[in-house]
Structure formats: C-alpha cells, structure tokens
Amino acid sequence: MTANHRSLSAEIGEKTERLVELLGREGLGGVVLNAQHNFAWLTGGARNGIDLSRENGAASLLVTASGQRYILASNIEMPRLLADEVSADLFDPIEYAWRTEKAEPALPLELAAAFIEGELATDISLAPATRTIEGLIAKCRFSLTVDETSRIRKLGLDASQAMDRVAKQIRPGQTEIEAARQIHHELASLGITSVVTLAAADERTAAYRHPVPTEKRFEKLLMLVTCAKRHGLIVSLSRILCVGPILDELARKTAAAAYVNASLWHASRVGTNGARLYQTAADAYSIMGFAEEIEKHHQGGAAGYKTREWVAHPASGEIVQQNQAFAWNPSITGTKIEDTVIVSDNGIEVITFSPQFPSIPVEIDGTTYYSPGILSV
C-alpha cells in the first residue's frame, strides 16, 4: 500500500466515523450518498458526476451503522469508477444492470437496504418514503481533515495565480465573455473548473451583484469572479482591474469594503455563530458610512464542497468549526472584496492571496488584515 493510499484510507476512515456517529444519534441503519458533492467529500475527491447539470450522480455510496462502506453503480459505470475514481478495498462494489435500474429507479436503495439493519436515509431525495438528511451530513463536512486542508490550500494558491495571469492578459476592448473564457482556460490547465464565473465591465460593476458575462466590452473597469472547484473542494475570489488612475470614490468604497472584510475575518472564530457574524458585518458597514449596503447582497459564509455551505444572516444558528473554510464577499455598489480563508484556533489563513494585486491593510485589535485592492493596469 502506497503512502498516498494509506493517507486516503485514513481520511475516508475519519469521515466514515463522523457518519457512523450521525447514524447512531439518529437511530438509522445506514445512509446512501448520491449527491456529487457528498461523493467527492467521502471519497477524498473522486467524481460520480457525468451530467454536471444535475445534483445527483451516476453512482452512490452506502455507509452502514457498523461502518461498512459500499459503492453502488450500474454495469455501465462500475468498471470506470473502480479504475479511475475509487478503490475496491475502500468501498465494496455492488453492481447492477443498467436495464433493471431504468425499469426500477429505486433499485440502488433496495439493494442498499439489504446490507443494513434499520432505517435507510439518503442525502438527497431518491425515493418518496426515504428520509433525507443532507442538513445533518453537511455538518460532517464542515471541519476539514488534514489532507483536505492541504488540497484546498493548494487549490486556493493555484486559483489565485490563475486569476493573476488573467489580469496580466486582459486588455481594454475585450468583452466580458472573452474575459470569462480566459478564466476558464487558466483554471482548466490546472485541473480546476470554474463553477461560477462572473465578469462586469465599467458601469455593470455597479449595476449588478451577479454579473453573468455578456458581450459588453471592457474600457475602464473590470470585475472578475470565480468559484473554483477541484477534487470537490471550492474556493471563491473576486478581483477588480482599472485602466489608469483609480477614482477617489471607488477607492473610498473599496477601502470601506475591506474594513467590512477585515471585521468578518477577525470575527471568524471557532464557536462564533452566523448571526453574530452577520451583525459584525452590519456594524462595520455602518461605521464606514454604508449601512444600507448590507441589504443589497449577502455577505458570504462557510465554504468547502459547496460555494457556500451556509450564509450568515440575522437568524443563523450555524457555528464556526475548527479548520473550516469561509468565503466572505462584502460589497458596496461598484466594488467588492472576496477571498477564501481557513479558520483555526490560530485565527484565519488567507488561501487565495494574490501578491500581484495591491493590498488594503486594516488593523483590528492589534492584528492587521490584508484585503485585495484594485489593480491599476
């Protein structure tokens, strides 16, 4: 057994233990994971997706209350999955005929039920009478393992460097769609998929919080956004370019957004809840003279195997976990700050830092936080 295989086995074992504890608390006999993000999580980054327009995947995983693990797939998919994605010594294969599955869509659940004692649950709705527990499974994902932390840290570095290269290549006159294409190209060369790609040129930076790329041509100002995915993990970052000097009003707004961002980073401590984090952002906007801006867009929140595992809001009871990823995205009309960090007892670690972009320092309680500023090109 190679060192990588031993490490993967340990990671999958740790996650299996989390699920077994969950099944015990809920009095369940087993759980079937079919959603693409959960398949990636439990397997350490493997893929069960073929049609990426769907949440469900082409294979499922079964974890029993006793800790046994299985992979369920049709005869179309099983050979490839065992060759490319998962190891048969980590997940026992349960194969079925594709014709039978088409005739009986609930077949994977029926097969899974034969391997457990008690009630079977799923992560997403696969049959009307089956209990779905995605909200509980999500909590098992929040605290990153040692290996996951390494993977997301490398993803953050690669994604930020890819965005830096795009920033160097972009020229006035290019369309938002062309800029988005460059983002996709740079990320794809590193095995990364941009699951969210936004671009706003000039006045569109102030018009829309989610600017889907258009044929609008970039002349003075360009905002670029990506949520970059690899091995199931996702980091988010936004960058702004400006041709020539940055207008004073834009600089003032961006500095204010950086203050909100630094306030959220400072408040992102293990044990803090989402409601408190939301209030931190609201207070920071107010201090900077932009109290109304928090009403115009959410501020982000926990990250990991979804672009946002949860978003901070006034009634949020979610709790910040040890070694959990966060992507905050404070925005003030016309500008935005967004990076991804990992929270631990030592504070926050920014994993999408871009040395090419200027930094905006903000000191809070003796700690200085550096948010990305606007790059003059």
Side-chain angles (χ1 to χ4, degrees), residues 187-338:
L187 291 172
S189 68
L190 299 168
I192 302 171
T193 302
S194 185
V195 295
V196 174
T197 313
L198 305 176
D202 300 307
E203 69 274 9
R204 276 171 48 83
T205 60
Y208 308 110
R209 269 359 192 230
H210 292 148
V212 175
T214 70
E215 293 289 352
K216 168 72 177 175
R217 293 190 180 278
F218 158 51
E219 295 179 6
K220 173 69 176 177
L221 198 65
L222 182 66
M223 179 187 294
L224 302 173
V225 180
T226 183
C227 296
K229 177 180 176 181
R230 186 171 63 194
H231 303 311
L233 290 162
I234 302 171
V235 298
S236 301
L237 59 154
S238 295
R239 299 292 184 261
I240 302 177
L241 316 177
C242 181
V243 177
I246 300 165
L247 296 178
D248 290 345
E249 179 65 6
L250 178 59
R252 184 175 77 89
K253 287 182 174 181
T254 305
Y259 178 79
V260 178
N261 187 58
S263 298
L264 282 165
W265 282 354
H266 188 70
S268 296
R269 305 291 178 91
V270 176
T272 303
N273 69 26
R276 178 61 195 145
L277 289 163
Y278 173 86
Q279 191 57 51
T280 295
D283 292 344
Y285 277 110
S286 182
I287 288 170
M288 299 307 292
F290 293 97
E292 73 287 351
E293 291 289 337
I294 199 168
E295 304 297 335
K296 299 177 181 179
H297 194 247
H298 72 76
Q299 304 307 299
Y305 286 86
K306 292 186 175 181
T307 55
R308 298 297 185 273
E309 292 280 10
W310 54 263
V311 168
H313 58 83
S316 173
E318 296 287 358
I319 303 295
V320 177
Q321 304 295 314
Q322 175 77 292
N323 298 325
Q324 187 170 15
F326 279 82
W328 298 112
N329 49 259
S331 60
I332 294 174
T333 301
T335 193
K336 178 186 181 186
I337 301 288
E338 183 176 27

Side-chain angles (χ1 to χ4, degrees), residues 164 167-168 240-244 246 356-358 373-377:
D164 284 355
K168 290 179 180 179
I240 302 177
L241 316 177
C242 181
V243 177
I246 300 165
Q356 177 179 319
F357 279 73
I374 298 173
L375 179 65
S376 182
V377 296

Side-chain angles (χ1 to χ4, degrees), residues 45 66 75 78 101 104 129 131 141 178 200 231 279 323 330:
S66 61
N75 62 305
M78 187 67 82
E101 180 189 22
E104 302 175 38
R131 180 182 172 190
R141 295 194 302 265
E178 288 170 337
H231 303 311
Q279 191 57 51
N323 298 325

Side-chain angles (χ1 to χ4, degrees), residues 2-15 18 40-45 90 141 143-156 230-233 305 323 342 351:
T2 66
N4 285 342
H5 191 74
R6 285 195 298 271
S7 179
L8 179 61
S9 179
E11 177 182 343
I12 292 172
E14 179 179 342
K15 293 173 179 178
R18 295 183 192 180
W41 168 69
L42 183 55
T43 58
L90 298 177
R141 295 194 302 265
S143 184
L144 300 174
T145 68
V146 171
D147 287 343
E148 281 176 313
T149 301
S150 296
R151 287 197 295 271
I152 199 170
R153 186 181 285 127
K154 184 63 165 65
L155 170 62
R230 186 171 63 194
H231 303 311
L233 290 162
Y305 286 86
N323 298 325
I342 300 172
I351 60 173

